[in-house]
Amino acid sequence: MVLCRMVGFWLRIVFLVSLLGWQGTVSARGQLSCEVVLLINQNDPVSVWIGHLYAAGRGVPPERVIKLDLPAVFQRADSTITPEEFTSYIWNPVLQKLVERGLSSTTLAWVYSTGFPTRIAMTPPLSLTGMTFVRNQPPEPDLVQ
């Protein structure tokens, strides 16, 4: 169970960093620890443990670690969240912390630990990283094929 969550965590990181870090240039480089924020579900001990392991291993500064207060219902790997809940529990709190800490202009990617919902309940459904990538502004359903 823990191994599956860890694999899912690393896959999310690779996917999100590749999406949010793409600048449209030919050359590629990795995200620096001063360009990401690490999101941890403070109510999930595994999320906290893996998040701190990631932060230590990648040198993510403490001011770039944001702990969110998500309800227990969102801690399952197959959980779904509505767009309104995403905005309320994830999007707005992260943006607020970025502004408070003066990190808005230097943050290129959000990295999620485990303990977060994986899908946004909408038509068509969108992933958590997809909703983050489109900056909480999903496309109109008829534009998605």
Side-chain angles (χ1 to χ4, degrees):
M1 175 76 163
V2 172
L3 179 60
C4 290
R5 290 179 77 179
M6 289 177 67
V7 169
F9 166 74
W10 288 111
L11 289 175
R12 276 191 205 165
I13 289 172
V14 169
F15 180 71
L16 185 61
V17 168
S18 67
L19 288 179
L20 292 180
W22 184 68
Q23 304 272 327
T25 60
V26 175
S27 64
R29 65 171 183 85
Q31 295 297 166
L32 301 174
S33 60
C34 62
E35 297 174 325
V36 301
V37 290
L38 172 61
L39 307 180
I40 295 174
N41 181 352
Q42 70 182 11
N43 298 323
D44 182 351
V46 176
S47 181
V48 173
W49 179 70
I50 290 176
H52 286 295
L53 240 135
Y54 179 86
R58 299 290 181 198
V60 178
E63 67 272 10
R64 291 193 162 274
V65 175
I66 298 175
K67 293 183 178 177
L68 298 172
D69 185 18
L70 270 67
V73 69
F74 298 134
Q75 292 176 18
R76 294 182 328 201
D78 63 343
S79 65
T80 301
I81 191 171
T82 67
E84 296 78 21
E85 290 168 330
F86 172 81
T87 300
S88 175
Y89 289 113
I90 300 171
W91 188 258
N92 286 342
V94 172
L95 291 183
Q96 180 182 356
K97 291 289 184 190
L98 291 176
V99 169
E100 286 173 6
R101 298 176 186 184
L103 302 174
S104 297
S105 64
T106 59
T107 299
L108 300 180
W110 292 13
V111 178
Y112 289 90
S113 184
T114 59
F116 285 86
T118 55
R119 287 178 296 214
I120 309 296
M122 53 191 304
T123 305
L126 197 58
S127 69
L128 177 69
T129 53
M131 186 67 127
T132 305
F133 179 72
V134 297
R135 300 180 190 278
N136 201 25
Q137 298 295 317
E140 294 297 320
D142 58 330
L143 296 176
V144 179
Q145 297 183 12

